[in-house]
Amino acid sequence: DQGGQGQDRKAGSITSFTFGRDRDLERTPVTDVRPAYALLLLGSNIDPERNIEAAKVQLRACTDLMSLSPIYQTPAVSAPETADYHNQAVILRDPLTFEELRSQLKRIETALGRVRSIDSNAPRTIDIDILAGADDSLEMILEWPIDPALSTLHHAAIPSSTIASTWRFPSSLVSVSAVSQQLLSLIHIT
């Protein structure tokens, strides 16, 4: 793919790999489907070492936590005055349904002191996002929403590429690794 864009094989539309908060969540009907795997992103910028470790302990207590990326430190998106985030991607084996997993993750966030506010850039003890679900062949499933951060934001794509590099987006068949490489090429180091 050239110029940070990918051709959508089904609809013929262009998928942008640009950074930003103005993302559209690719939503399809969420059913009771349980994928073989779920890809999550853990993030914290309040005592991140302790809170990410505590989140993993709680995840292990209720799910099969099978893969962990290295932890990456990145600036907060759209909030330069906020402390850097520490982000880690994790893969769960045989997760719950999407809604059950989302409820479980909100309970973990609350238990670890997450305070939800109107300010989307407010510091967080822990933020756990569901990025995608995949079947046994590691194709992302359309029955679960695919978080656009996985294809547009380096803090999600790069950690994910270390443990889910061959996972493919269903509409473009582009791998998480290819997206991560594209995003890395857009980062300007000064």
Side-chain angles (χ1 to χ4, degrees):
D1 293 334
Q2 303 267 337
Q5 298 180 341
Q7 186 71 29
D8 185 307
R9 294 169 42 109
K10 293 181 182 171
S13 64
I14 299 296
T15 304
S16 173
F17 296 146
T18 58
F19 297 110
R21 298 293 298 172
D22 297 328
R23 309 183 312 252
D24 293 324
L25 191 60
E26 183 179 327
R27 287 225 180 247
T28 56
V30 179
T31 65
D32 290 335
V33 170
R34 289 181 66 172
Y37 306 99
L39 178 62
L40 308 180
L41 184 67
L42 312 179
S44 174
N45 67 346
I46 297 174
D47 198 3
E49 295 87 3
R50 185 181 65 77
N51 285 312
I52 288 177
E53 188 57 39
K56 291 185 293 190
V57 166
Q58 291 205 24
L59 283 168
R60 283 186 184 102
C62 63
T63 64
D64 184 3
L65 184 59
M66 63 174 275
S67 294
L68 303 168
S69 78
I71 295 174
Y72 290 83
Q73 183 175 342
T74 58
V77 174
S78 302
E81 69 286 349
T82 304
D84 286 354
Y85 271 85
H86 290 206
N87 294 288
Q88 184 173 38
V90 301
I91 295 177
L92 308 179
R93 185 189 337 249
D94 194 28
L96 306 166
T97 66
F98 181 84
E99 292 301 330
E100 292 168 336
L101 180 58
R102 187 166 69 168
S103 293
Q104 183 66 37
L105 298 178
K106 284 185 178 185
R107 284 191 291 276
I108 292 171
E109 289 175 337
T110 300
L112 294 177
R114 165 85 188 261
V115 176
R116 297 189 182 277
S117 72
I118 295 173
D119 180 3
S120 63
N121 296 315
R124 295 185 173 103
T125 55
I126 194 70
D127 184 26
I128 308 174
D129 295 327
I130 302 171
L131 298 178
D135 60 22
D136 284 320
S137 66
L138 304 180
E139 296 289 328
M140 289 182 218
I141 61 170
L142 287 172
E143 292 83 3
W144 277 31
I146 299 170
D147 191 320
L150 188 54
S151 64
T152 60
L153 297 174
H154 65 286
H155 72 267
I158 294 170
S160 297
S161 73
T162 67
I163 59 172
S165 63
T166 61
W167 289 34
R168 297 194 176 278
F169 291 87
S171 59
S172 66
L173 300 181
V174 173
S175 70
V176 172
S177 177
V179 168
S180 175
Q181 290 171 2
Q182 179 68 34
L183 291 172
L184 277 171
S185 73
L186 297 174
I187 296 173
H188 299 289
I189 300 174
T190 56

